[in-house]
Amino acid sequence: MLGFAFLKREMDAGGFGSISNYNLPFPNLLRAGAWVGLDIMDELEKDNLIIIDVFGSKYNVRFDVKNLFYLENVDPETINPKINVLYERIVLPKMHHRTVIRLVHTLDGAAFMLGEEVTLRLLNATIAEKTRTMPESVLVLPVNRDVVSKRFVAWVASLSDYVIVASSKLTDEGLKERLHVVKAPFEDFEPTAYRLRATGERAERLKIRKIGLNKGTL
């Protein structure tokens, strides 16, 4: 849910959102966004968000919704050019000088669909292309490290400016979840830990509180 939380935060600040969906049918994607208070349908209608539904394209689960786009077919050799065309024709005209936050939901989903080697190659090409055409955009790459190789995770981490590791542990007091910020592009950066908890507040269901790294391990 962190990817959706980041997306919502940037869009609330006036940014433009883009989701490349590899994991879920569209109705499930709506529910995932709602979990952190992101009304995906409303943002699509307001031209604040587009979705490139690779999952729906691959498995022919399609819906007629504004700003929801499908690919004619999912071919590793042509997927990047097709997505680039959508960005040129759809995203760039809708940006209106806004910062674009691009969420890949999720990178391990792309790896499952296309293969790890292909996904890394496409990711490198995407980063190079968007550095040229959308240098101020932000790319968010959630990845479940339990379902991909260590090499895959290490490669993605090496490409990233920020790396946030989420971990969970079931204790007698319930589920404890922490975020560890382990990489950031600052000379004086020090790894930092945060406590993550879910609340019943629909508008903002993820609460984060900074904690010290010396208070035990999770």
Side-chain angles (χ1 to χ4, degrees):
M1 296 298 101
L2 284 174
F4 290 104
F6 287 133
L7 181 66
K8 180 181 185 301
R9 179 184 176 91
E10 292 300 316
M11 292 176 64
D12 286 347
F16 182 87
S18 168
I19 302 173
S20 295
N21 173 43
Y22 290 87
N23 283 56
L24 299 172
F26 180 64
N28 300 60
L29 198 69
L30 296 180
R31 289 193 288 272
W35 205 88
V36 296
L38 175 62
D39 189 335
I40 289 179
M41 283 295 293
D42 185 56
E43 300 297 346
L44 290 171
E45 286 293 327
K46 292 179 178 177
D47 287 333
N48 292 327
L49 173 70
I50 71 153
I51 297 174
I52 301 172
D53 193 353
V54 185
F55 181 95
S57 303
K58 173 75 172 180
Y59 299 108
N60 197 29
V61 183
R62 306 189 179 206
F63 298 85
D64 185 14
V65 174
K66 182 181 179 182
N67 287 321
L68 175 63
F69 301 98
Y70 297 95
L71 307 178
E72 184 176 344
N73 55 68
V74 180
D75 178 358
E77 297 303 318
T78 61
I79 187 171
N80 267 14
K82 291 173 183 176
I83 291 176
N84 288 339
V85 168
L86 282 174
Y87 269 90
E88 291 173 5
R89 294 181 178 177
I90 307 298
V91 178
L92 293 178
K94 292 179 183 291
M95 285 173 52
H96 302 301
H97 305 291
R98 291 183 286 179
T99 298
V100 178
I101 181 166
R102 298 147 46 213
L103 170 65
V104 176
H105 185 75
T106 59
L107 196 60
D108 53 278
F112 177 80
M113 184 182 294
L114 305 171
E116 288 191 8
E117 293 291 337
V118 171
T119 299
L120 291 178
R121 176 168 55 82
L122 294 174
L123 177 59
N124 282 347
T126 296
I127 291 173
E129 168 68 17
K130 295 303 184 291
T131 298
R132 182 181 63 84
T133 59
M134 302 170 63
E136 300 302 318
S137 65
V138 178
L139 179 61
V140 180
L141 301 170
V143 56
N144 185 339
R145 57 181 174 171
D146 292 331
V147 299
V148 292
S149 69
K150 290 183 179 179
R151 176 180 177 274
F152 186 88
V153 174
W155 188 271
V156 175
S158 70
L159 292 173
S160 302
D161 291 324
Y162 294 87
V163 176
I164 301 173
V165 179
S167 58
S168 303
K169 184 178 181 179
L170 187 61
T171 70
D172 293 338
E173 300 175 354
L175 185 66
K176 290 187 176 181
E177 300 184 78
R178 288 187 182 178
L179 303 179
H180 302 265
V181 183
V182 299
K183 181 183 178 184
F186 308 111
E187 290 184 5
D188 58 349
F189 169 75
E190 294 182 0
T192 309
Y194 297 85
R195 176 67 51 79
L196 176 68
R197 67 183 179 90
T199 74
E201 302 170 25
R202 188 168 182 80
E204 188 179 355
R205 298 188 64 177
L206 293 181
K207 298 291 186 180
I208 298 175
R209 178 173 62 85
K210 186 175 181 179
I211 58 177
L213 286 176
N214 59 348
K215 296 184 178 180
T217 57
L218 188 62

